[in-house]
Amino acid sequence: MDPGLNLRLSSWPALRRPSVVAPVSGDARRAVGGDKTRGASVALCGIEKHYDSVGAVRGVSLDVRSGEFLTLLGPSGSGKTTTLMMIAGFETPNAGDIAIDGSSVLALPPYKRNIGMVFQNYALFPHLTAADNIGFPLKQRGIDRATRTRLVAASLERVHLSGYERRYPRQLSGGQQQRVALARAIVFHPRLLLMDEPLGALDKQLRENLQLEMRRLHADLGITFIYVTHDQEEALTMSDRVAVMNEGVVVQVGTPEDLYDRPCNRFVAAFIGESNFLSAVVRGIERNMLILDCAGTTIRAMALQTPTAGEGVTLAIRPERLRFADGTASMAENRIAITVTDMVFAGDCCRYLCHTDSGASLVLKQPSGSTGRRRHPGERADILWPAGDAVIV
């Protein structure tokens, strides 16, 4: 276990003072029957956190809806984990407010917020069995043994670990340990569950399987999930909405589709998925489409912004939206001449590195099972993309 995390856990009064721990709700006692709980709403109002002169979180305001699965997504150092720890109560904001269900929780210590928490490195007690690890928060809340046994069994069943009650953490795989940590976080049926990169230590296939399990669990429980990750695919797969963070601020909040198809700036377009960027000059606007000059070629893009004529802009296009011209281009598609400089077979697709006559680089993804013929380095071609798939960032 991470020594720093161990220190935080050992200093959490919930682990030492059962008499003041928030009690298990009636919904938790009915968890055996599968009852759902209405998720908590969370409001962050201009929260800030500084370490010496460094601003880790800078004026973040965010509303999380009841029952929502919201992911904080960003690169390392973007402030997402610090934001999560302030919601949990392990960090105190230097400014701003945090409200759960409309009531400020800044004055409440972590153990009185009644929030479930799953850490990246599980934080399981190595000397306790899976059942005892899961039952620990119930024991600290003064729940009787018979009720604990029922709730632990129900929680194990929810994460598909029935029969593993007597195993110790060392006898479990990484994925199984993560499931135990998740079962412990939901056993008392909190209305809010916080998760700090809980799948980061797992292999790709297991991580993808657990992503789907998390979605199922969220739908089953009906509580609010706030999830932290730097994995874009994970965020898009699991979330109702995603808040993209960078350098301590929230850059854009939206559904996975909104962020992928309509990024608000170059950072979001580059961080979520993969994007090509082309420089262009605005010539005008026509039927909600911008008319642009790109290296002497007229192209069109979505008019999400309203730049003025003559202004230089950057155009973002996803690699999978590009295709080689086959003689069936429509009037709604852009066309530009390129030279193929490299081709890489990546299993599900072929990645082509191309250069325009002006020297701009583009990546085109073509499904490996496509009926279109494969291009070779040095080959000249035209590439096409729908005008609606090009976005000014």
Side-chain angles (χ1 to χ4, degrees):
M1 183 184 295
D2 184 321
L5 176 59
N6 189 40
L7 177 61
R8 287 202 302 273
L9 287 175
S10 64
S11 64
W12 191 11
L15 305 183
R16 297 182 285 106
R17 285 186 259 170
S19 60
V20 293
V21 174
V24 174
S25 67
D27 292 286
R29 296 178 186 273
R30 292 190 297 271
V32 176
D35 289 356
K36 289 187 179 182
T37 300
R38 183 181 65 83
S41 63
V42 181
L44 309 182
C45 304
I47 60 171
E48 298 186 6
K49 184 63 180 179
H50 305 282
Y51 298 101
D52 297 326
S53 60
V54 179
V57 176
R58 302 184 290 125
V60 167
S61 294
L62 185 64
D63 288 324
V64 186
R65 303 160 188 161
S66 171
E68 183 174 32
F69 194 131
L70 181 127
T71 294
L72 301 177
L73 172 68
S76 297
S78 60
K80 55 190 186 297
T81 292
T82 302
T83 299
L84 196 77
M85 290 303 171
M86 286 191 283
I87 297 172
F90 293 121
E91 297 283 357
T92 303
N94 297 114
D97 193 17
I98 299 171
I100 297 179
D101 285 333
S103 299
S104 176
V105 295
L106 289 186
L108 294 179
Y111 62 93
K112 287 191 175 181
R113 298 189 188 190
N114 209 36
I115 295 172
M117 186 85 193
V118 181
F119 297 95
Q120 181 176 2
N121 49 1
Y122 319 138
L124 298 178
F125 297 106
H127 62 289
L128 298 182
T129 63
D132 288 338
N133 264 287
I134 296 168
F136 187 83
L138 298 175
K139 186 176 182 180
Q140 296 303 301
R141 286 165 168 79
I143 303 301
D144 64 88
R145 181 185 295 273
T147 303
R148 289 204 310 268
T149 300
R150 292 198 304 271
L151 292 174
V152 168
S155 196
L156 278 165
E157 185 176 356
R158 284 191 185 277
V159 298
H160 304 300
L161 279 182
S162 295
Y164 288 76
E165 292 86 348
R166 297 186 178 182
R167 294 198 186 185
Y168 290 90
R170 65 180 180 274
Q171 298 171 320
L172 300 171
S173 68
Q176 290 167 341
Q177 290 182 49
Q178 189 55 272
R179 288 172 186 265
V180 170
L182 185 57
R184 181 178 61 184
I186 64 174
V187 70
F188 58 96
H189 227 272
R191 296 178 57 217
L192 174 61
L193 179 62
L194 309 180
M195 290 176 281
D196 185 17
E197 305 206 43
L199 308 182
L202 306 178
D203 64 76
K204 186 177 186 296
Q205 185 173 359
L206 180 57
R207 190 165 64 244
E208 290 175 350
N209 289 337
L210 283 176
Q211 288 169 12
L212 299 178
E213 284 295 312
M214 292 253 189
R215 283 294 298 176
R216 178 198 59 78
L217 189 64
H218 174 255
D220 187 35
L221 293 175
I223 65 177
T224 305
F225 281 25
I226 302 180
Y227 192 96
V228 162
T229 185
H230 63 272
D231 187 315
Q232 305 94 321
E233 184 177 346
E234 189 168 276
L236 297 179
T237 299
M238 299 169 60
S239 314
D240 296 322
R241 287 193 303 154
V242 178
V244 182
M245 297 189 68
N246 188 38
E247 297 181 345
V249 301
V250 173
V251 181
Q252 185 176 359
V253 183
T255 65
E257 294 85 356
D258 286 338
L259 296 179
Y260 193 81
D261 292 333
R262 291 172 288 279
C264 69
N265 59 25
R266 182 165 182 154
F267 171 80
V268 177
F271 188 74
I272 296 182
E274 186 177 9
S275 288
N276 293 299
F277 298 103
L278 287 173
S279 297
V281 176
V282 178
R283 294 305 181 207
I285 188 168
E286 179 181 293
R287 288 194 288 256
N288 294 323
M289 284 287 172
L290 292 173
I291 310 302
L292 309 165
D293 178 20
C294 181
T297 301
T298 299
I299 59 177
R300 289 170 172 78
M302 293 175 63
L304 298 181
Q305 304 176 27
T306 55
T308 58
E311 182 180 346
V313 295
T314 300
L315 187 69
I317 316 129
R318 299 292 184 182
E320 69 274 10
R321 308 289 169 83
L322 301 176
R323 65 181 178 87
F324 290 109
D326 57 7
T328 60
S330 72
M331 293 297 292
E333 291 185 303
N334 295 314
R335 176 189 291 259
I336 196 167
I338 56 91
T339 300
V340 176
T341 56
D342 199 6
M343 190 279 282
V344 177
F345 178 75
D348 61 339
C349 69
C350 293
R351 292 172 51 88
Y352 293 92
L353 178 61
C354 311
H355 282 84
T356 67
D357 293 343
S358 64
S361 297
L362 293 171
V363 173
L364 180 151
K365 287 184 180 178
Q366 183 182 65
S368 57
S370 172
T371 56
R373 70 176 182 86
R374 293 182 182 174
R375 266 59 176 189
H376 303 283
E379 187 173 341
R380 291 282 295 173
D382 283 357
I383 58 174
L384 309 173
W385 68 90
D389 286 342
V391 181
I392 300 299
V393 294

